[in-house]
Every structure is written in C-alpha cells, then in structure tokens.
Amino acid sequence: MSQLKEKENQFITAAEQLNSVKQELKSFIVGQDEVIDQVLWSIFSGGHALLEGLPGLGKTMLIRSISECLELSFRRIQFTPDLMPSDITGTMILQPGNDGRQEFAFHEGPLFANIILADEINRATPKTQSALLEAMAEQTVTVMGSTKQLAKPFFVLATQNPIDMEGTYPLPEAQMDRFTCKIHVDYPSKEELREIALRTTGTTVPKLSKVLGISDVLLIQQLSKEILVSEDILNTAVSIIAATHPAAEEAPQRVKQYVEFGSGPRGLQGLLQMAKTRALFAGRYHVAIGDIKQTAVPVLRHRLLLNFEGEASGVLTDELIMEIVETAGQDGDSR
C-alpha cells in the first residue's frame, strides 16, 4: 500500500512540475499556448519535434526558452547547404600524445548536448540530414567506425520555413517519420503583437528560472510511460492509424480519394506516447479519448502523404486527420 501511495505522490509531483514549466514559459513567451503544450508533450514523451512557421514567429526563442527552464545542455545548429556531417557529429583530429607521437582524438560536435536546436533543417544537404537521422533514431553517432553514445535525455527540436523553398532540401519521409510531431506555429493576434512589442522594446528583460533538472526530466519521462491505456482507448488509437491508409476498409472516403500513403507503426507509438504525457500534464493516471483527439493532428500531419489529386485540390491533411479522429472516437469522452 505504501508503494502505491509513493507512486501516486510521484504522479502528483510530476504534474505540478510540468505545469510549473509551462507557466514559466508563458511568463516569457506571448501566446502560442497550443505550440508550447505540443512541444512539452513531445519532450516529456521522449520524442523529437519539428516546428514549422513563418520567420520571426518565435520558434527559435521558444526552444531556447525551454532549454533555460530545464537545466539541460543546449546547442544550436544553423543548417546551411555547406554544412558537413562532421560539423554536427564531431570528428577525429590529430594531436600530440604524452609520448610526443601524433594520435587521433575525438572532438565532439554540437550533437553532444541534451537539447539540439536544428534551425532551418531543410537547408542542409541530404548527407548532413542523414547524419542527424542516426542521432535521432539511435541516440548515437558513428565517426570513423567508432560509435559514440549521446547524452540522455536527448531531443532534437527542429525548425523550418514553409516559404522561400528555393535552394532547400525537403526532408525525406524516413526522416520526417523520426519526428514525433510536426507543430504549426501561427501568426500572433493583434493583442499578442501588442504584448510582444511591450515586452521586447522596453528596458526590462524578463529572465527565466530553472524549474527541472536532468533527473527530474528522466523521471517524468518514465512516469509518462506508466500512464494506463485501456483496451478501448488502444483500439481507438489503432483504428485511427488504420484509417489513414486509403486501402483500409474503415478509411473515410476522402482519405481513399486523396491519400497516397498513411501512417505506420511509429505513428501509433507517437500517438500513444503523446497522449500519455498529455494525461500526465492533466494529473490523470490514464489516457482519455480527449488525449488521443488533441494529439492526433500534430503526430500524424507529417505522416499522411497526399496523392496528385489531393495536392492539386489543395486538400489539408489536418482536415483529413480530424475527420478520421471524429469517426474513430465519436463514442468516446472528449475531455
């Protein structure tokens, strides 16, 4: 009984800590509540996130602010076409040894940190993007046949600009699938623009406080895995993923008409992981259908590939996902 009480206290403490992080970020970042939620869900579920939005909307600032709230090491990598794999992974360099002879020593690249900001990731060549893929998938890098373990926890929070695509290298589907979610950063409202101006053009510069350390983040990640998923919720999540495939019998008509490829098993894993973390944020020990509904769009929007008709018709994947979710979860609780 004491063990159950201790576990319950851990869940309560974790929920309070997560909301403390969120409130600290809101004291600095204006608006973007949904974006903040989705980035935090991704981080504490142990996944990577891709933020897409117009220049100047605060994508980089948000990621940097998260690193300041969490006592984790942070590195920023500005992706450009001339960036080489060794520029991010590190390389072997010759240096004099104790006996005076030259020997190779590994010089760590910027990937050796807890939080990696991959700024404008689609401006790097596929060769450099693929070097990042190993780090995201295995949390290791391989240099000259030697495999190096990266720090834990390890997150890649990448940004990309949906306009000015000339000279860019769109991420291949295999690498897009490594991101737990794709988050759209929208333009702020008039009230938010006014508040941004007041906060950034005056003499007072707000400072963020450290809220969580490495051990706290790792513990919360573990606790999020322990959130319960009922058989009904699991079946709903499976039905959602299955319905993203145009060949599936349960797929809506618009999916059959406009989608070329649907989500794979990694989409289901990401959906459940994000839903569990959202439940933990809410102080619940179980996943509700509302958690599935709120996380489905960011988790699946980059995993649905439209066919030619869908692209030509201007169909939005977000609308297709919402249609799938409403069909699969129409009998559930919408909390």
Coordinates of all heavy atoms in Angstrom, one line a residue, residues 90-162:
G90 N 31.0 15.8 -35.0 CA 32.3 15.8 -34.4 C 33.2 15.0 -35.4 O 32.8 14.3 -36.3
T91 N 34.5 15.0 -35.1 CA 35.5 14.3 -36.0 C 36.7 14.0 -35.2 O 37.0 14.4 -34.0 CB 35.9 15.2 -37.1 OG1 36.6 14.5 -38.1 CG2 36.6 16.5 -36.7
M92 N 37.5 13.1 -35.8 CA 38.8 12.7 -35.2 C 39.9 13.7 -35.7 O 40.0 14.0 -36.8 CB 39.2 11.3 -35.7 CG 38.3 10.2 -35.1 SD 38.5 9.9 -33.4 CE 37.6 8.4 -33.1
I93 N 40.7 14.2 -34.7 CA 41.7 15.2 -35.0 C 43.1 14.6 -34.5 O 43.1 13.9 -33.5 CB 41.5 16.6 -34.5 CG1 41.3 16.5 -33.0 CG2 40.2 17.2 -35.1 CD1 41.2 17.9 -32.3
L94 N 44.1 14.9 -35.2 CA 45.5 14.5 -34.8 C 46.0 15.5 -33.7 O 45.9 16.7 -33.9 CB 46.4 14.5 -36.0 CG 46.4 13.2 -36.8 CD1 47.3 13.4 -38.0 CD2 47.0 12.0 -35.9
Q95 N 46.5 15.0 -32.7 CA 47.1 15.8 -31.6 C 48.2 15.1 -31.0 O 48.3 13.9 -31.0 CB 46.1 16.3 -30.6 CG 45.5 15.2 -29.8 CD 44.4 15.7 -28.8 OE1 43.7 16.7 -29.1 NE2 44.3 15.1 -27.7
P96 N 49.2 15.8 -30.4 CA 50.4 15.1 -29.8 C 50.0 14.4 -28.5 O 49.2 14.9 -27.7 CB 51.3 16.3 -29.5 CG 50.6 17.5 -29.7 CD 49.3 17.2 -30.4
G97 N 50.5 13.2 -28.4 CA 50.2 12.4 -27.2 C 51.2 12.6 -26.1 O 52.1 13.5 -26.3
N98 N 51.1 11.9 -25.0 CA 52.0 12.1 -23.9 C 53.5 11.7 -24.3 O 54.4 12.3 -23.7 CB 51.6 11.3 -22.7 CG 50.3 11.8 -22.1 OD1 50.0 13.0 -22.2 ND2 49.5 10.9 -21.6
D99 N 53.6 10.8 -25.2 CA 55.0 10.4 -25.6 C 55.5 11.2 -26.8 O 56.6 10.8 -27.3 CB 55.0 8.9 -25.9 CG 54.0 8.5 -27.1 OD1 53.2 9.5 -27.5 OD2 53.9 7.4 -27.4
G100 N 54.8 12.2 -27.2 CA 55.2 13.1 -28.3 C 54.8 12.6 -29.6 O 55.0 13.3 -30.6
R101 N 54.2 11.4 -29.7 CA 53.7 10.9 -31.0 C 52.3 11.4 -31.3 O 51.5 11.7 -30.4 CB 53.7 9.4 -31.0 CG 55.1 8.7 -30.7 CD 55.0 7.2 -30.6 NE 54.5 6.7 -31.9 CZ 54.3 5.4 -32.1 NH1 54.4 4.5 -31.1 NH2 53.8 4.9 -33.2
Q102 N 52.0 11.6 -32.6 CA 50.7 12.0 -33.0 C 49.7 10.9 -32.9 O 50.0 9.7 -33.2 CB 50.8 12.5 -34.5 CG 51.6 13.7 -34.7 CD 51.0 15.0 -34.2 OE1 49.8 15.1 -34.1 NE2 51.8 16.0 -34.0
E103 N 48.5 11.2 -32.3 CA 47.5 10.2 -32.2 C 46.1 10.9 -32.4 O 46.0 12.1 -32.2 CB 47.5 9.5 -30.9 CG 47.4 10.5 -29.7 CD 47.5 9.8 -28.3 OE1 48.2 8.8 -28.3 OE2 47.0 10.4 -27.4
F104 N 45.1 10.1 -32.9 CA 43.8 10.6 -33.1 C 43.0 10.7 -31.8 O 43.1 9.9 -30.9 CB 43.0 9.7 -34.0 CG 43.4 9.9 -35.5 CD1 44.2 8.9 -36.2 CD2 42.9 11.0 -36.2 CE1 44.5 9.1 -37.5 CE2 43.2 11.1 -37.5 CZ 44.0 10.2 -38.2
A105 N 42.3 11.8 -31.7 CA 41.4 12.1 -30.5 C 40.1 12.6 -31.1 O 40.1 13.4 -32.0 CB 42.0 13.1 -29.5
F106 N 39.0 12.1 -30.4 CA 37.7 12.6 -30.9 C 37.3 13.9 -30.4 O 37.4 14.2 -29.2 CB 36.6 11.5 -30.5 CG 35.2 11.9 -30.9 CD1 34.9 11.9 -32.3 CD2 34.3 12.2 -30.0 CE1 33.6 12.2 -32.7 CE2 33.0 12.5 -30.4 CZ 32.7 12.5 -31.8
H107 N 36.9 14.8 -31.3 CA 36.5 16.1 -30.9 C 35.0 16.2 -31.1 O 34.4 16.1 -32.2 CB 37.1 17.2 -31.8 CG 36.7 18.6 -31.5 ND1 37.1 19.3 -30.3 CD2 35.9 19.5 -32.1 CE1 36.6 20.5 -30.3 NE2 35.9 20.6 -31.4
E108 N 34.2 16.3 -30.0 CA 32.8 16.3 -30.0 C 32.2 17.5 -30.8 O 32.6 18.6 -30.7 CB 32.2 16.3 -28.6 CG 32.5 15.1 -27.8 CD 31.8 15.1 -26.4 OE1 31.3 16.2 -26.1 OE2 31.8 14.1 -25.7
G109 N 31.1 17.1 -31.6 CA 30.4 18.1 -32.3 C 29.2 18.6 -31.4 O 29.0 18.2 -30.3
P110 N 28.4 19.5 -32.0 CA 27.3 20.1 -31.2 C 26.2 19.2 -30.9 O 25.3 19.5 -30.0 CB 26.8 21.3 -32.1 CG 27.3 20.9 -33.5 CD 28.5 20.2 -33.3
L111 N 26.1 18.0 -31.5 CA 25.1 17.0 -31.2 C 25.2 16.4 -29.7 O 24.3 15.9 -29.2 CB 25.1 15.8 -32.1 CG 24.4 16.0 -33.5 CD1 24.5 14.7 -34.3 CD2 23.0 16.5 -33.3
F112 N 26.4 16.6 -29.1 CA 26.6 16.1 -27.8 C 26.1 17.1 -26.7 O 26.8 17.7 -26.0 CB 28.1 15.8 -27.6 CG 28.6 14.6 -28.3 CD1 28.9 14.7 -29.6 CD2 28.6 13.4 -27.7 CE1 29.3 13.5 -30.3 CE2 29.1 12.2 -28.4 CZ 29.4 12.3 -29.7
A113 N 24.8 17.2 -26.7 CA 24.0 18.0 -25.7 C 22.7 17.4 -25.5 O 22.3 16.5 -26.3 CB 23.9 19.4 -26.3
N114 N 21.9 17.9 -24.5 CA 20.6 17.3 -24.3 C 19.5 17.9 -25.2 O 18.7 17.1 -25.7 CB 20.2 17.7 -22.8 CG 21.1 17.1 -21.8 OD1 21.7 17.8 -21.0 ND2 21.2 15.8 -21.8
I115 N 19.6 19.2 -25.5 CA 18.6 19.8 -26.4 C 19.3 20.3 -27.6 O 20.2 21.2 -27.5 CB 17.8 20.9 -25.7 CG1 17.0 20.3 -24.5 CG2 16.8 21.5 -26.7 CD1 16.2 21.4 -23.8
I116 N 18.9 19.9 -28.8 CA 19.6 20.3 -30.0 C 18.5 21.1 -30.8 O 17.4 20.7 -31.1 CB 20.0 19.2 -30.9 CG1 21.0 18.3 -30.1 CG2 20.7 19.7 -32.2 CD1 22.2 18.9 -29.7
L117 N 18.8 22.4 -31.1 CA 18.0 23.2 -32.0 C 18.6 23.1 -33.4 O 19.7 23.6 -33.6 CB 18.0 24.7 -31.5 CG 17.5 25.7 -32.5 CD1 16.0 25.4 -32.9 CD2 17.5 27.1 -31.8
A118 N 17.9 22.4 -34.2 CA 18.3 22.3 -35.6 C 17.5 23.4 -36.4 O 16.4 23.1 -36.9 CB 18.0 20.9 -36.2
D119 N 18.2 24.5 -36.5 CA 17.5 25.7 -37.1 C 17.5 25.6 -38.7 O 18.6 25.4 -39.3 CB 18.2 27.0 -36.7 CG 17.2 28.1 -36.5 OD1 16.0 27.9 -36.8 OD2 17.6 29.2 -36.0
E120 N 16.3 25.7 -39.3 CA 16.1 25.6 -40.7 C 16.8 24.3 -41.2 O 17.6 24.3 -42.1 CB 16.7 26.8 -41.4 CG 16.0 28.1 -41.1 CD 16.4 29.3 -42.0 OE1 17.4 29.9 -41.7 OE2 15.7 29.6 -43.0
I121 N 16.3 23.2 -40.7 CA 16.8 21.9 -41.0 C 16.8 21.6 -42.5 O 17.6 20.8 -43.0 CB 16.1 20.8 -40.2 CG1 16.9 19.5 -40.3 CG2 14.7 20.7 -40.5 CD1 16.3 18.4 -39.4
N122 N 15.8 22.1 -43.2 CA 15.6 21.8 -44.6 C 16.6 22.5 -45.5 O 16.6 22.4 -46.8 CB 14.2 22.0 -45.1 CG 13.7 23.5 -44.9 OD1 14.2 24.1 -44.0 ND2 12.8 23.9 -45.7
R123 N 17.5 23.3 -45.0 CA 18.5 24.0 -45.8 C 19.8 23.2 -45.9 O 20.8 23.6 -46.6 CB 18.8 25.4 -45.3 CG 17.6 26.3 -45.4 CD 17.9 27.7 -45.3 NE 16.7 28.5 -45.5 CZ 16.1 28.8 -46.7 NH1 16.7 28.4 -47.8 NH2 15.0 29.5 -46.8
A124 N 19.9 22.1 -45.1 CA 21.1 21.3 -45.2 C 21.0 20.2 -46.2 O 19.9 19.8 -46.6 CB 21.4 20.6 -43.8
T125 N 22.1 19.7 -46.7 CA 22.1 18.7 -47.8 C 21.6 17.3 -47.2 O 21.7 17.1 -46.0 CB 23.5 18.5 -48.4 OG1 24.4 18.1 -47.4 CG2 23.9 19.8 -49.0
P126 N 21.1 16.4 -48.0 CA 20.7 15.1 -47.5 C 21.8 14.4 -46.8 O 21.5 13.6 -45.8 CB 20.3 14.4 -48.8 CG 19.9 15.5 -49.7 CD 20.8 16.6 -49.4
K127 N 23.0 14.6 -47.1 CA 24.1 13.9 -46.5 C 24.2 14.3 -45.0 O 24.4 13.5 -44.1 CB 25.4 14.2 -47.2 CG 26.6 13.4 -46.7 CD 27.9 13.8 -47.5 CE 29.1 12.9 -47.1 NZ 30.3 13.2 -47.9
T128 N 24.0 15.6 -44.7 CA 24.1 16.1 -43.3 C 22.8 15.7 -42.6 O 22.8 15.4 -41.4 CB 24.3 17.6 -43.3 OG1 25.5 17.9 -44.0 CG2 24.4 18.1 -41.9
Q129 N 21.6 15.8 -43.3 CA 20.4 15.4 -42.7 C 20.4 13.9 -42.2 O 19.9 13.6 -41.2 CB 19.2 15.6 -43.7 CG 18.9 17.0 -44.0 CD 17.9 17.2 -45.0 OE1 17.3 16.2 -45.6 NE2 17.5 18.4 -45.4
S130 N 21.0 13.0 -43.0 CA 21.1 11.6 -42.7 C 22.0 11.4 -41.5 O 21.8 10.5 -40.7 CB 21.6 10.8 -43.9 OG 23.0 11.2 -44.2
A131 N 23.0 12.3 -41.3 CA 23.9 12.1 -40.1 C 23.1 12.4 -38.8 O 23.3 11.8 -37.8 CB 25.0 13.1 -40.2
L132 N 22.1 13.4 -39.0 CA 21.2 13.7 -37.9 C 20.3 12.5 -37.6 O 19.8 12.3 -36.5 CB 20.5 15.0 -38.1 CG 19.6 15.5 -37.0 CD1 20.4 15.9 -35.8 CD2 18.8 16.7 -37.5
L133 N 19.9 11.8 -38.6 CA 18.9 10.7 -38.5 C 19.4 9.6 -37.5 O 18.6 9.1 -36.7 CB 18.7 10.0 -39.9 CG 17.7 8.9 -39.9 CD1 16.3 9.3 -39.5 CD2 17.6 8.3 -41.4
E134 N 20.7 9.2 -37.6 CA 21.2 8.2 -36.6 C 21.1 8.7 -35.2 O 20.7 8.0 -34.3 CB 22.6 7.9 -36.9 CG 23.2 6.8 -36.0 CD 24.7 6.7 -36.1 OE1 25.3 7.2 -37.0 OE2 25.3 6.0 -35.2
A135 N 21.4 10.0 -35.0 CA 21.3 10.6 -33.7 C 19.9 10.6 -33.1 O 19.6 10.2 -32.0 CB 21.9 12.0 -33.7
M136 N 18.9 10.9 -34.0 CA 17.5 10.9 -33.6 C 17.0 9.5 -33.3 O 16.2 9.3 -32.4 CB 16.7 11.6 -34.7 CG 17.0 13.1 -34.9 SD 16.1 13.8 -36.3 CE 14.4 13.6 -35.8
A137 N 17.4 8.5 -34.1 CA 16.9 7.2 -34.0 C 17.5 6.4 -32.9 O 16.9 5.7 -32.1 CB 17.0 6.5 -35.4
E138 N 18.9 6.4 -32.9 CA 19.6 5.6 -32.0 C 20.3 6.3 -30.8 O 20.8 5.6 -29.9 CB 20.7 4.9 -32.8 CG 20.3 4.2 -34.1 CD 19.3 3.1 -33.8 OE1 19.3 2.5 -32.7 OE2 18.5 2.7 -34.8
Q139 N 20.3 7.6 -30.9 CA 21.0 8.4 -29.8 C 22.5 8.1 -29.8 O 23.1 8.0 -28.7 CB 20.3 8.3 -28.5 CG 18.9 8.8 -28.4 CD 18.4 9.0 -27.0 OE1 19.1 8.8 -26.0 NE2 17.1 9.3 -26.9
T140 N 23.0 7.8 -31.0 CA 24.4 7.6 -31.1 C 24.9 8.3 -32.4 O 24.1 8.6 -33.3 CB 24.8 6.1 -31.3 OG1 24.1 5.5 -32.4 CG2 24.3 5.3 -30.0
V141 N 26.2 8.5 -32.5 CA 26.8 9.0 -33.7 C 28.0 8.1 -34.0 O 28.7 7.6 -33.1 CB 27.3 10.4 -33.7 CG1 26.1 11.4 -33.5 CG2 28.3 10.6 -32.5
T142 N 28.3 7.8 -35.3 CA 29.4 6.9 -35.7 C 30.4 7.8 -36.5 O 30.0 8.4 -37.5 CB 28.9 5.8 -36.5 OG1 28.0 5.0 -35.7 CG2 30.1 4.8 -36.9
V143 N 31.6 7.8 -36.0 CA 32.7 8.6 -36.6 C 33.9 7.7 -36.9 O 34.4 7.1 -35.9 CB 33.1 9.8 -35.8 CG1 34.3 10.6 -36.5 CG2 31.9 10.7 -35.6
M144 N 34.3 7.5 -38.1 CA 35.4 6.6 -38.5 C 35.3 5.2 -37.8 O 36.2 4.7 -37.3 CB 36.7 7.3 -38.1 CG 37.0 8.6 -38.8 SD 38.6 9.4 -38.3 CE 39.8 8.1 -38.9
G145 N 34.1 4.7 -37.9 CA 33.9 3.3 -37.4 C 33.7 3.2 -35.9 O 33.4 2.1 -35.4
S146 N 33.8 4.3 -35.2 CA 33.6 4.3 -33.7 C 32.3 4.9 -33.4 O 32.0 6.0 -33.8 CB 34.8 5.1 -33.1 OG 34.6 5.1 -31.7
T147 N 31.5 4.2 -32.6 CA 30.2 4.7 -32.2 C 30.2 5.3 -30.8 O 30.7 4.8 -29.9 CB 29.2 3.5 -32.1 OG1 29.1 2.9 -33.4 CG2 27.8 4.0 -31.7
K148 N 29.7 6.5 -30.8 CA 29.7 7.3 -29.6 C 28.2 7.5 -29.1 O 27.3 7.8 -29.8 CB 30.3 8.7 -29.8 CG 31.6 8.7 -30.5 CD 32.7 8.1 -29.7 CE 34.1 8.2 -30.4 NZ 35.2 7.6 -29.6
Q149 N 28.0 7.3 -27.8 CA 26.7 7.5 -27.2 C 26.5 8.9 -26.8 O 27.3 9.6 -26.3 CB 26.6 6.6 -25.9 CG 25.3 6.6 -25.3 CD 24.3 5.8 -26.1 OE1 24.6 4.7 -26.6 NE2 23.1 6.3 -26.2
L150 N 25.2 9.4 -27.2 CA 24.9 10.8 -26.9 C 24.3 10.9 -25.5 O 24.0 9.9 -24.8 CB 23.8 11.3 -27.9 CG 24.3 11.4 -29.4 CD1 23.1 11.7 -30.3 CD2 25.4 12.4 -29.5
A151 N 24.2 12.1 -25.0 CA 23.7 12.4 -23.7 C 22.2 12.0 -23.5 O 21.5 11.9 -24.5 CB 23.9 13.9 -23.4
K152 N 21.8 11.7 -22.3 CA 20.4 11.4 -22.0 C 20.0 12.4 -21.0 O 20.7 12.7 -20.0 CB 20.2 10.0 -21.5 CG 20.5 9.0 -22.6 CD 20.1 7.6 -22.1 CE 20.3 6.5 -23.2 NZ 19.9 5.2 -22.8
P153 N 18.8 13.0 -21.1 CA 17.9 12.9 -22.3 C 18.4 13.6 -23.5 O 19.3 14.5 -23.4 CB 16.6 13.5 -21.8 CG 17.0 14.5 -20.8 CD 18.2 13.9 -20.1
F154 N 17.9 13.2 -24.7 CA 18.3 13.8 -25.9 C 17.1 14.2 -26.8 O 16.3 13.3 -27.1 CB 19.2 12.9 -26.7 CG 19.7 13.4 -28.0 CD1 20.7 14.4 -28.2 CD2 19.1 12.9 -29.2 CE1 21.1 14.8 -29.4 CE2 19.5 13.3 -30.4 CZ 20.5 14.3 -30.6
F155 N 17.0 15.5 -27.2 CA 15.9 15.9 -28.0 C 16.4 16.7 -29.2 O 17.3 17.5 -29.0 CB 14.9 16.8 -27.2 CG 14.6 16.3 -25.9 CD1 15.1 17.0 -24.7 CD2 13.8 15.2 -25.7 CE1 14.8 16.5 -23.5 CE2 13.5 14.8 -24.4 CZ 14.0 15.4 -23.3
V156 N 15.8 16.5 -30.4 CA 16.1 17.4 -31.5 C 14.8 18.2 -31.7 O 13.7 17.6 -32.0 CB 16.4 16.6 -32.8 CG1 16.5 17.5 -34.0 CG2 17.7 15.9 -32.6
L157 N 14.9 19.5 -31.6 CA 13.8 20.4 -31.9 C 14.2 21.2 -33.1 O 15.0 22.0 -33.0 CB 13.5 21.3 -30.7 CG 13.2 20.6 -29.3 CD1 13.0 21.5 -28.2 CD2 12.0 19.7 -29.5
A158 N 13.6 20.9 -34.2 CA 14.0 21.4 -35.5 C 13.0 22.5 -36.0 O 11.8 22.4 -35.6 CB 14.1 20.3 -36.5
T159 N 13.4 23.4 -36.7 CA 12.5 24.4 -37.3 C 12.7 24.4 -38.8 O 13.8 24.1 -39.4 CB 12.8 25.8 -36.8 OG1 14.1 26.3 -37.3 CG2 12.9 25.9 -35.3
Q160 N 11.6 24.8 -39.5 CA 11.8 25.0 -41.0 C 10.7 26.1 -41.4 O 9.7 26.3 -40.8 CB 11.6 23.7 -41.8 CG 10.2 23.1 -41.7 CD 10.2 21.8 -42.6 OE1 11.2 21.3 -43.0 NE2 9.0 21.4 -43.0
N161 N 11.1 26.7 -42.5 CA 10.3 27.8 -43.0 C 9.5 27.3 -44.2 O 10.1 26.8 -45.2 CB 11.3 28.9 -43.5 CG 10.6 30.1 -44.0 OD1 9.4 30.2 -44.2 ND2 11.4 31.2 -44.4
P162 N 8.1 27.5 -44.2 CA 7.3 26.9 -45.3 C 7.4 27.7 -46.5 O 6.8 27.3 -47.6 CB 5.9 26.9 -44.7 CG 5.9 28.1 -43.7 CD 7.3 28.1 -43.1

